[in-house]
PDB file of all heavy atoms in Angstrom:
ATOM      1  N   ALA A  11      87.681  96.254  85.805  1.00  0.00           N
ATOM      2  CA  ALA A  11      86.589  96.647  84.951  1.00  0.00           C
ATOM      3  C   ALA A  11      85.438  95.665  85.096  1.00  0.00           C
ATOM      4  O   ALA A  11      84.262  96.083  85.249  1.00  0.00           O
ATOM      5  CB  ALA A  11      87.011  96.754  83.484  1.00  0.00           C
ATOM      6  N   THR A  12      85.729  94.370  85.057  1.00  0.00           N
ATOM      7  CA  THR A  12      84.646  93.383  85.239  1.00  0.00           C
ATOM      8  C   THR A  12      83.927  93.566  86.566  1.00  0.00           C
ATOM      9  O   THR A  12      82.702  93.527  86.664  1.00  0.00           O
ATOM     10  CB  THR A  12      85.218  91.970  85.154  1.00  0.00           C
ATOM     11  OG1 THR A  12      85.934  91.814  83.892  1.00  0.00           O
ATOM     12  CG2 THR A  12      84.128  90.957  85.227  1.00  0.00           C
ATOM     13  N   LEU A  13      84.712  93.846  87.635  1.00  0.00           N
ATOM     14  CA  LEU A  13      84.142  94.026  88.961  1.00  0.00           C
ATOM     15  C   LEU A  13      83.163  95.209  88.971  1.00  0.00           C
ATOM     16  O   LEU A  13      82.046  95.105  89.487  1.00  0.00           O
ATOM     17  CB  LEU A  13      85.264  94.230  89.973  1.00  0.00           C
ATOM     18  CG  LEU A  13      84.853  94.520  91.404  1.00  0.00           C
ATOM     19  CD1 LEU A  13      84.120  93.312  91.997  1.00  0.00           C
ATOM     20  CD2 LEU A  13      86.093  94.864  92.226  1.00  0.00           C
ATOM     21  N   PHE A  14      83.577  96.345  88.425  1.00  0.00           N
ATOM     22  CA  PHE A  14      82.752  97.561  88.565  1.00  0.00           C
ATOM     23  C   PHE A  14      81.644  97.650  87.516  1.00  0.00           C
ATOM     24  O   PHE A  14      80.732  98.445  87.654  1.00  0.00           O
ATOM     25  CB  PHE A  14      83.644  98.795  88.535  1.00  0.00           C
ATOM     26  CG  PHE A  14      84.346  99.050  89.820  1.00  0.00           C
ATOM     27  CD1 PHE A  14      85.595  98.656  90.020  1.00  0.00           C
ATOM     28  CD2 PHE A  14      83.658  99.743  90.837  1.00  0.00           C
ATOM     29  CE1 PHE A  14      86.238  98.875  91.243  1.00  0.00           C
ATOM     30  CE2 PHE A  14      84.292  99.998  92.023  1.00  0.00           C
ATOM     31  CZ  PHE A  14      85.589  99.587  92.255  1.00  0.00           C
ATOM     32  N   LEU A  15      81.713  96.819  86.472  1.00  0.00           N
ATOM     33  CA  LEU A  15      80.687  96.824  85.464  1.00  0.00           C
ATOM     34  C   LEU A  15      79.586  95.792  85.753  1.00  0.00           C
ATOM     35  O   LEU A  15      78.574  95.734  85.049  1.00  0.00           O
ATOM     36  CB  LEU A  15      81.277  96.538  84.073  1.00  0.00           C
ATOM     37  CG  LEU A  15      82.228  97.589  83.528  1.00  0.00           C
ATOM     38  CD1 LEU A  15      82.842  97.080  82.234  1.00  0.00           C
ATOM     39  CD2 LEU A  15      81.514  98.921  83.299  1.00  0.00           C
ATOM     40  N   SER A  16      79.778  94.961  86.776  1.00  0.00           N
ATOM     41  CA  SER A  16      78.858  93.866  87.066  1.00  0.00           C
ATOM     42  C   SER A  16      77.719  94.310  87.993  1.00  0.00           C
ATOM     43  O   SER A  16      77.908  95.144  88.882  1.00  0.00           O
ATOM     44  CB  SER A  16      79.617  92.713  87.734  1.00  0.00           C
ATOM     45  OG  SER A  16      80.546  92.153  86.846  1.00  0.00           O
ATOM     46  N   ALA A  17      76.551  93.701  87.760  1.00  0.00           N
ATOM     47  CA  ALA A  17      75.409  93.942  88.645  1.00  0.00           C
ATOM     48  C   ALA A  17      75.717  93.308  90.003  1.00  0.00           C
ATOM     49  O   ALA A  17      76.354  92.251  90.093  1.00  0.00           O
ATOM     50  CB  ALA A  17      74.150  93.330  88.052  1.00  0.00           C
ATOM     51  N   GLY A  18      75.234  93.926  91.071  1.00  0.00           N
ATOM     52  CA  GLY A  18      75.564  93.519  92.416  1.00  0.00           C
ATOM     53  C   GLY A  18      76.349  94.640  93.112  1.00  0.00           C
ATOM     54  O   GLY A  18      76.300  95.801  92.687  1.00  0.00           O
ATOM     55  N   VAL A  19      77.086  94.272  94.112  1.00  0.00           N
ATOM     56  CA  VAL A  19      77.804  95.250  94.921  1.00  0.00           C
ATOM     57  C   VAL A  19      79.337  94.931  94.763  1.00  0.00           C
ATOM     58  O   VAL A  19      79.765  93.847  95.140  1.00  0.00           O
ATOM     59  CB  VAL A  19      77.435  95.192  96.397  1.00  0.00           C
ATOM     60  CG1 VAL A  19      78.231  96.194  97.209  1.00  0.00           C
ATOM     61  CG2 VAL A  19      75.937  95.442  96.578  1.00  0.00           C
ATOM     62  N   PRO A  20      80.112  95.845  94.221  1.00  0.00           N
ATOM     63  CA  PRO A  20      81.532  95.582  94.065  1.00  0.00           C
ATOM     64  C   PRO A  20      82.311  95.717  95.406  1.00  0.00           C
ATOM     65  O   PRO A  20      82.047  96.663  96.126  1.00  0.00           O
ATOM     66  CB  PRO A  20      81.995  96.638  93.060  1.00  0.00           C
ATOM     67  CG  PRO A  20      81.039  97.777  93.259  1.00  0.00           C
ATOM     68  CD  PRO A  20      79.720  97.182  93.656  1.00  0.00           C
ATOM     69  N   MET A  21      83.187  94.789  95.647  1.00  0.00           N
ATOM     70  CA  MET A  21      84.067  94.879  96.846  1.00  0.00           C
ATOM     71  C   MET A  21      85.520  94.963  96.379  1.00  0.00           C
ATOM     72  O   MET A  21      86.026  94.004  95.756  1.00  0.00           O
ATOM     73  CB  MET A  21      83.855  93.647  97.752  1.00  0.00           C
ATOM     74  CG  MET A  21      84.675  93.719  99.038  1.00  0.00           C
ATOM     75  SD  MET A  21      84.378  92.368 100.163  1.00  0.00           S
ATOM     76  CE  MET A  21      85.324  91.049  99.396  1.00  0.00           C
ATOM     77  N   LEU A  22      86.144  96.069  96.651  1.00  0.00           N
ATOM     78  CA  LEU A  22      87.548  96.332  96.259  1.00  0.00           C
ATOM     79  C   LEU A  22      88.429  96.225  97.477  1.00  0.00           C
ATOM     80  O   LEU A  22      88.139  96.903  98.493  1.00  0.00           O
ATOM     81  CB  LEU A  22      87.661  97.673  95.591  1.00  0.00           C
ATOM     82  CG  LEU A  22      89.065  98.144  95.179  1.00  0.00           C
ATOM     83  CD1 LEU A  22      89.590  97.231  94.069  1.00  0.00           C
ATOM     84  CD2 LEU A  22      89.059  99.560  94.768  1.00  0.00           C
ATOM     85  N   VAL A  23      89.484  95.464  97.432  1.00  0.00           N
ATOM     86  CA  VAL A  23      90.430  95.383  98.531  1.00  0.00           C
ATOM     87  C   VAL A  23      91.391  96.552  98.497  1.00  0.00           C
ATOM     88  O   VAL A  23      91.994  96.834  97.441  1.00  0.00           O
ATOM     89  CB  VAL A  23      91.210  94.058  98.453  1.00  0.00           C
ATOM     90  CG1 VAL A  23      92.248  93.996  99.572  1.00  0.00           C
ATOM     91  CG2 VAL A  23      90.266  92.872  98.569  1.00  0.00           C
ATOM     92  N   GLY A  24      91.517  97.248  99.599  1.00  0.00           N
ATOM     93  CA  GLY A  24      92.436  98.385  99.691  1.00  0.00           C
ATOM     94  C   GLY A  24      93.859  97.950  99.349  1.00  0.00           C
ATOM     95  O   GLY A  24      94.347  96.992  99.913  1.00  0.00           O
ATOM     96  N   GLY A  25      94.457  98.664  98.419  1.00  0.00           N
ATOM     97  CA  GLY A  25      95.815  98.353  97.983  1.00  0.00           C
ATOM     98  C   GLY A  25      95.816  97.787  96.554  1.00  0.00           C
ATOM     99  O   GLY A  25      96.802  97.991  95.836  1.00  0.00           O
ATOM    100  N   ASP A  26      94.758  97.119  96.154  1.00  0.00           N
ATOM    101  CA  ASP A  26      94.691  96.597  94.810  1.00  0.00           C
ATOM    102  C   ASP A  26      94.672  97.710  93.770  1.00  0.00           C
ATOM    103  O   ASP A  26      95.129  97.550  92.620  1.00  0.00           O
ATOM    104  CB  ASP A  26      93.465  95.713  94.621  1.00  0.00           C
ATOM    105  CG  ASP A  26      93.657  94.298  95.124  1.00  0.00           C
ATOM    106  OD1 ASP A  26      94.795  93.975  95.522  1.00  0.00           O
ATOM    107  OD2 ASP A  26      92.681  93.503  95.076  1.00  0.00           O
ATOM    108  N   GLU A  27      94.179  98.907  94.157  1.00  0.00           N
ATOM    109  CA  GLU A  27      94.093 100.001  93.229  1.00  0.00           C
ATOM    110  C   GLU A  27      95.452 100.626  92.972  1.00  0.00           C
ATOM    111  O   GLU A  27      95.573 101.462  92.063  1.00  0.00           O
ATOM    112  CB  GLU A  27      93.080 101.054  93.716  1.00  0.00           C
ATOM    113  CG  GLU A  27      93.605 101.948  94.801  1.00  0.00           C
ATOM    114  CD  GLU A  27      93.642 101.316  96.207  1.00  0.00           C
ATOM    115  OE1 GLU A  27      93.390 100.113  96.302  1.00  0.00           O
ATOM    116  OE2 GLU A  27      93.864 102.064  97.174  1.00  0.00           O
ATOM    117  N   ILE A  28      96.467 100.234  93.735  1.00  0.00           N
ATOM    118  CA  ILE A  28      97.815 100.800  93.552  1.00  0.00           C
ATOM    119  C   ILE A  28      98.856  99.684  93.352  1.00  0.00           C
ATOM    120  O   ILE A  28     100.060  99.920  93.444  1.00  0.00           O
ATOM    121  CB  ILE A  28      98.243 101.767  94.673  1.00  0.00           C
ATOM    122  CG1 ILE A  28      98.160 101.021  96.039  1.00  0.00           C
ATOM    123  CG2 ILE A  28      97.392 103.003  94.669  1.00  0.00           C
ATOM    124  CD1 ILE A  28      98.714 101.889  97.184  1.00  0.00           C
ATOM    125  N   GLY A  29      98.396  98.466  93.099  1.00  0.00           N
ATOM    126  CA  GLY A  29      99.291  97.359  92.812  1.00  0.00           C
ATOM    127  C   GLY A  29     100.009  96.780  93.986  1.00  0.00           C
ATOM    128  O   GLY A  29     101.154  96.297  93.862  1.00  0.00           O
ATOM    129  N   ARG A  30      99.349  96.747  95.162  1.00  0.00           N
ATOM    130  CA  ARG A  30     100.051  96.159  96.363  1.00  0.00           C
ATOM    131  C   ARG A  30     100.388  94.688  96.132  1.00  0.00           C
ATOM    132  O   ARG A  30      99.563  93.962  95.564  1.00  0.00           O
ATOM    133  CB  ARG A  30      99.183  96.319  97.577  1.00  0.00           C
ATOM    134  CG  ARG A  30      99.879  95.936  98.887  1.00  0.00           C
ATOM    135  CD  ARG A  30      98.983  96.140 100.102  1.00  0.00           C
ATOM    136  NE  ARG A  30      98.042  95.083 100.263  1.00  0.00           N
ATOM    137  CZ  ARG A  30      98.289  93.917 100.913  1.00  0.00           C
ATOM    138  NH1 ARG A  30      99.537  93.717 101.462  1.00  0.00           N
ATOM    139  NH2 ARG A  30      97.414  92.978 101.031  1.00  0.00           N
ATOM    140  N   THR A  31     101.555  94.282  96.563  1.00  0.00           N
ATOM    141  CA  THR A  31     101.982  92.895  96.412  1.00  0.00           C
ATOM    142  C   THR A  31     102.408  92.306  97.734  1.00  0.00           C
ATOM    143  O   THR A  31     102.848  93.042  98.632  1.00  0.00           O
ATOM    144  CB  THR A  31     103.185  92.802  95.448  1.00  0.00           C
ATOM    145  OG1 THR A  31     103.635  91.414  95.370  1.00  0.00           O
ATOM    146  CG2 THR A  31     104.349  93.670  95.877  1.00  0.00           C
ATOM    147  N   GLN A  32     102.156  91.035  97.905  1.00  0.00           N
ATOM    148  CA  GLN A  32     102.682  90.269  99.028  1.00  0.00           C
ATOM    149  C   GLN A  32     103.752  89.270  98.540  1.00  0.00           C
ATOM    150  O   GLN A  32     104.073  88.303  99.263  1.00  0.00           O
ATOM    151  CB  GLN A  32     101.542  89.538  99.781  1.00  0.00           C
ATOM    152  CG  GLN A  32     100.602  90.524 100.456  1.00  0.00           C
ATOM    153  CD  GLN A  32      99.551  89.846 101.319  1.00  0.00           C
ATOM    154  OE1 GLN A  32      98.909  90.493 102.142  1.00  0.00           O
ATOM    155  NE2 GLN A  32      99.351  88.536 101.191  1.00  0.00           N
ATOM    156  N   HIS A  33     104.256  89.522  97.339  1.00  0.00           N
ATOM    157  CA  HIS A  33     105.366  88.758  96.759  1.00  0.00           C
ATOM    158  C   HIS A  33     105.003  87.271  96.698  1.00  0.00           C
ATOM    159  O   HIS A  33     105.843  86.384  96.956  1.00  0.00           O
ATOM    160  CB  HIS A  33     106.647  88.958  97.587  1.00  0.00           C
ATOM    161  CG  HIS A  33     106.983  90.385  97.815  1.00  0.00           C
ATOM    162  ND1 HIS A  33     107.369  91.257  96.820  1.00  0.00           N
ATOM    163  CD2 HIS A  33     106.902  91.173  98.927  1.00  0.00           C
ATOM    164  CE1 HIS A  33     107.556  92.451  97.296  1.00  0.00           C
ATOM    165  NE2 HIS A  33     107.273  92.446  98.577  1.00  0.00           N
ATOM    166  N   GLY A  34     103.750  86.988  96.346  1.00  0.00           N
ATOM    167  CA  GLY A  34     103.296  85.624  96.173  1.00  0.00           C
ATOM    168  C   GLY A  34     102.820  84.951  97.451  1.00  0.00           C
ATOM    169  O   GLY A  34     102.385  83.805  97.371  1.00  0.00           O
ATOM    170  N   ASN A  35     102.872  85.620  98.569  1.00  0.00           N
ATOM    171  CA  ASN A  35     102.332  85.043  99.794  1.00  0.00           C
ATOM    172  C   ASN A  35     100.835  85.231  99.840  1.00  0.00           C
ATOM    173  O   ASN A  35     100.336  86.347  99.788  1.00  0.00           O
ATOM    174  CB  ASN A  35     102.963  85.787 101.008  1.00  0.00           C
ATOM    175  CG  ASN A  35     102.736  85.041 102.335  1.00  0.00           C
ATOM    176  OD1 ASN A  35     101.631  84.545 102.568  1.00  0.00           O
ATOM    177  ND2 ASN A  35     103.741  85.018 103.187  1.00  0.00           N
ATOM    178  N   ASN A  36     100.090  84.133  99.893  1.00  0.00           N
ATOM    179  CA  ASN A  36      98.634  84.240  99.876  1.00  0.00           C
ATOM    180  C   ASN A  36      98.005  83.940 101.224  1.00  0.00           C
ATOM    181  O   ASN A  36      96.800  83.698 101.314  1.00  0.00           O
ATOM    182  CB  ASN A  36      98.035  83.336  98.798  1.00  0.00           C
ATOM    183  CG  ASN A  36      98.081  81.852  99.161  1.00  0.00           C
ATOM    184  OD1 ASN A  36      98.697  81.445 100.167  1.00  0.00           O
ATOM    185  ND2 ASN A  36      97.444  81.000  98.340  1.00  0.00           N
ATOM    186  N   ASN A  37      98.792  84.025 102.286  1.00  0.00           N
ATOM    187  CA  ASN A  37      98.285  83.757 103.625  1.00  0.00           C
ATOM    188  C   ASN A  37      99.095  84.612 104.620  1.00  0.00           C
ATOM    189  O   ASN A  37      99.596  84.084 105.597  1.00  0.00           O
ATOM    190  CB  ASN A  37      98.389  82.286 103.971  1.00  0.00           C
ATOM    191  CG  ASN A  37      97.605  81.906 105.190  1.00  0.00           C
ATOM    192  OD1 ASN A  37      96.546  82.482 105.467  1.00  0.00           O
ATOM    193  ND2 ASN A  37      98.031  80.908 105.940  1.00  0.00           N
ATOM    194  N   GLY A  38      99.172  85.899 104.337  1.00  0.00           N
ATOM    195  CA  GLY A  38     100.034  86.786 105.131  1.00  0.00           C
ATOM    196  C   GLY A  38      99.385  87.416 106.347  1.00  0.00           C
ATOM    197  O   GLY A  38      99.882  88.431 106.842  1.00  0.00           O
ATOM    198  N   TYR A  39      98.324  86.804 106.873  1.00  0.00           N
ATOM    199  CA  TYR A  39      97.596  87.447 107.965  1.00  0.00           C
ATOM    200  C   TYR A  39      98.431  87.628 109.212  1.00  0.00           C
ATOM    201  O   TYR A  39      98.179  88.557 110.017  1.00  0.00           O
ATOM    202  CB  TYR A  39      96.346  86.623 108.341  1.00  0.00           C
ATOM    203  CG  TYR A  39      96.608  85.334 109.048  1.00  0.00           C
ATOM    204  CD1 TYR A  39      96.519  85.259 110.433  1.00  0.00           C
ATOM    205  CD2 TYR A  39      96.976  84.200 108.353  1.00  0.00           C
ATOM    206  CE1 TYR A  39      96.769  84.082 111.075  1.00  0.00           C
ATOM    207  CE2 TYR A  39      97.253  83.031 109.037  1.00  0.00           C
ATOM    208  CZ  TYR A  39      97.120  82.977 110.374  1.00  0.00           C
ATOM    209  OH  TYR A  39      97.397  81.824 111.046  1.00  0.00           O
ATOM    210  N   ALA A  40      99.431  86.800 109.437  1.00  0.00           N
ATOM    211  CA  ALA A  40     100.244  86.849 110.657  1.00  0.00           C
ATOM    212  C   ALA A  40     101.511  87.626 110.427  1.00  0.00           C
ATOM    213  O   ALA A  40     102.370  87.741 111.330  1.00  0.00           O
ATOM    214  CB  ALA A  40     100.594  85.457 111.143  1.00  0.00           C
ATOM    215  N   GLN A  41     101.720  88.214 109.260  1.00  0.00           N
ATOM    216  CA  GLN A  41     102.948  88.919 108.934  1.00  0.00           C
ATOM    217  C   GLN A  41     102.754  90.447 109.123  1.00  0.00           C
ATOM    218  O   GLN A  41     102.145  91.104 108.364  1.00  0.00           O
ATOM    219  CB  GLN A  41     103.339  88.648 107.456  1.00  0.00           C
ATOM    220  CG  GLN A  41     103.616  87.191 107.165  1.00  0.00           C
ATOM    221  CD  GLN A  41     104.938  86.709 107.784  1.00  0.00           C
ATOM    222  OE1 GLN A  41     105.699  87.492 108.311  1.00  0.00           O
ATOM    223  NE2 GLN A  41     105.147  85.405 107.723  1.00  0.00           N
ATOM    224  N   ASP A  42     103.333  90.908 110.272  1.00  0.00           N
ATOM    225  CA  ASP A  42     103.258  92.356 110.532  1.00  0.00           C
ATOM    226  C   ASP A  42     104.586  92.988 110.069  1.00  0.00           C
ATOM    227  O   ASP A  42     105.437  93.375 110.836  1.00  0.00           O
ATOM    228  CB  ASP A  42     103.064  92.596 112.026  1.00  0.00           C
ATOM    229  CG  ASP A  42     102.878  94.076 112.374  1.00  0.00           C
ATOM    230  OD1 ASP A  42     102.692  94.884 111.457  1.00  0.00           O
ATOM    231  OD2 ASP A  42     102.939  94.416 113.556  1.00  0.00           O
ATOM    232  N   ASN A  43     104.765  93.042 108.752  1.00  0.00           N
ATOM    233  CA  ASN A  43     105.984  93.524 108.146  1.00  0.00           C
ATOM    234  C   ASN A  43     105.680  93.930 106.692  1.00  0.00           C
ATOM    235  O   ASN A  43     104.522  94.101 106.348  1.00  0.00           O
ATOM    236  CB  ASN A  43     107.096  92.457 108.240  1.00  0.00           C
ATOM    237  CG  ASN A  43     106.616  91.141 107.668  1.00  0.00           C
ATOM    238  OD1 ASN A  43     105.935  91.056 106.668  1.00  0.00           O
ATOM    239  ND2 ASN A  43     106.957  90.031 108.381  1.00  0.00           N
ATOM    240  N   GLU A  44     106.726  94.065 105.896  1.00  0.00           N
ATOM    241  CA  GLU A  44     106.554  94.546 104.513  1.00  0.00           C
ATOM    242  C   GLU A  44     105.684  93.645 103.709  1.00  0.00           C
ATOM    243  O   GLU A  44     105.125  94.078 102.682  1.00  0.00           O
ATOM    244  CB  GLU A  44     107.892  94.675 103.844  1.00  0.00           C
ATOM    245  CG  GLU A  44     108.745  95.858 104.350  1.00  0.00           C
ATOM    246  CD  GLU A  44     109.537  95.507 105.621  1.00  0.00           C
ATOM    247  OE1 GLU A  44     109.354  94.383 106.146  1.00  0.00           O
ATOM    248  OE2 GLU A  44     110.295  96.360 106.095  1.00  0.00           O
ATOM    249  N   ILE A  45     105.516  92.369 104.101  1.00  0.00           N
ATOM    250  CA  ILE A  45     104.669  91.480 103.341  1.00  0.00           C
ATOM    251  C   ILE A  45     103.200  91.940 103.358  1.00  0.00           C
ATOM    252  O   ILE A  45     102.538  91.955 102.315  1.00  0.00           O
ATOM    253  CB  ILE A  45     104.747  90.012 103.895  1.00  0.00           C
ATOM    254  CG1 ILE A  45     106.137  89.428 103.604  1.00  0.00           C
ATOM    255  CG2 ILE A  45     103.667  89.127 103.267  1.00  0.00           C
ATOM    256  CD1 ILE A  45     106.365  88.072 104.187  1.00  0.00           C
ATOM    257  N   SER A  46     102.727  92.394 104.530  1.00  0.00           N
ATOM    258  CA  SER A  46     101.315  92.773 104.634  1.00  0.00           C
ATOM    259  C   SER A  46     101.072  94.276 104.712  1.00  0.00           C
ATOM    260  O   SER A  46      99.941  94.709 104.632  1.00  0.00           O
ATOM    261  CB  SER A  46     100.730  92.066 105.871  1.00  0.00           C
ATOM    262  OG  SER A  46     101.413  92.513 107.047  1.00  0.00           O
ATOM    263  N   TRP A  47     102.092  95.057 104.919  1.00  0.00           N
ATOM    264  CA  TRP A  47     101.910  96.495 104.965  1.00  0.00           C
ATOM    265  C   TRP A  47     101.539  97.064 103.592  1.00  0.00           C
ATOM    266  O   TRP A  47     101.853  96.486 102.563  1.00  0.00           O
ATOM    267  CB  TRP A  47     103.182  97.187 105.495  1.00  0.00           C
ATOM    268  CG  TRP A  47     103.510  96.878 106.922  1.00  0.00           C
ATOM    269  CD1 TRP A  47     102.679  96.321 107.835  1.00  0.00           C
ATOM    270  CD2 TRP A  47     104.769  97.049 107.526  1.00  0.00           C
ATOM    271  NE1 TRP A  47     103.379  96.184 109.045  1.00  0.00           N
ATOM    272  CE2 TRP A  47     104.641  96.610 108.853  1.00  0.00           C
ATOM    273  CE3 TRP A  47     105.997  97.597 107.104  1.00  0.00           C
ATOM    274  CZ2 TRP A  47     105.700  96.686 109.766  1.00  0.00           C
ATOM    275  CZ3 TRP A  47     107.063  97.635 107.987  1.00  0.00           C
ATOM    276  CH2 TRP A  47     106.905  97.199 109.315  1.00  0.00           C
ATOM    277  N   VAL A  48     100.936  98.238 103.608  1.00  0.00           N
ATOM    278  CA  VAL A  48     100.692  98.979 102.374  1.00  0.00           C
ATOM    279  C   VAL A  48     101.866  99.927 102.148  1.00  0.00           C
ATOM    280  O   VAL A  48     102.166 100.805 102.974  1.00  0.00           O
ATOM    281  CB  VAL A  48      99.395  99.769 102.414  1.00  0.00           C
ATOM    282  CG1 VAL A  48      99.238 100.638 101.171  1.00  0.00           C
ATOM    283  CG2 VAL A  48      98.202  98.827 102.542  1.00  0.00           C
ATOM    284  N   ASN A  49     102.554  99.794 101.004  1.00  0.00           N
ATOM    285  CA  ASN A  49     103.666 100.679 100.644  1.00  0.00           C
ATOM    286  C   ASN A  49     103.052 101.832  99.846  1.00  0.00           C
ATOM    287  O   ASN A  49     102.709 101.675  98.668  1.00  0.00           O
ATOM    288  CB  ASN A  49     104.674  99.916  99.823  1.00  0.00           C
ATOM    289  CG  ASN A  49     105.798 100.800  99.350  1.00  0.00           C
ATOM    290  OD1 ASN A  49     105.874 101.979  99.655  1.00  0.00           O
ATOM    291  ND2 ASN A  49     106.714 100.252  98.563  1.00  0.00           N
TER     292      ASN A  49
END
C-alpha cells in the first residue's frame, strides 16, 4: 500500500504479489532451482 500510494513511480517485483519466497536466501541470483523459480 505504501508503495502504490506514494508519489513517484512504483516498482513491483514479480512474485511479491503472490508471496514468493526464497526461504531467507537474499542472494539467489546463481540458483536455478526452487530457490529462485516462481511457484
Side-chain angles (χ1 to χ4, degrees):
T12 304
L13 177 65
F14 280 96
L15 295 173
S16 295
V19 180
M21 184 176 79
L22 177 67
V23 177
D26 277 356
E27 78 282 9
I28 57 174
R30 189 178 79 86
T31 176
Q32 293 186 166
H33 310 291
N35 192 321
N36 72 353
N37 193 32
Y39 73 96
Q41 298 289 350
D42 185 12
N43 51 41
E44 289 83 357
I45 292 176
S46 61
W47 294 343
V48 175
N49 177 3

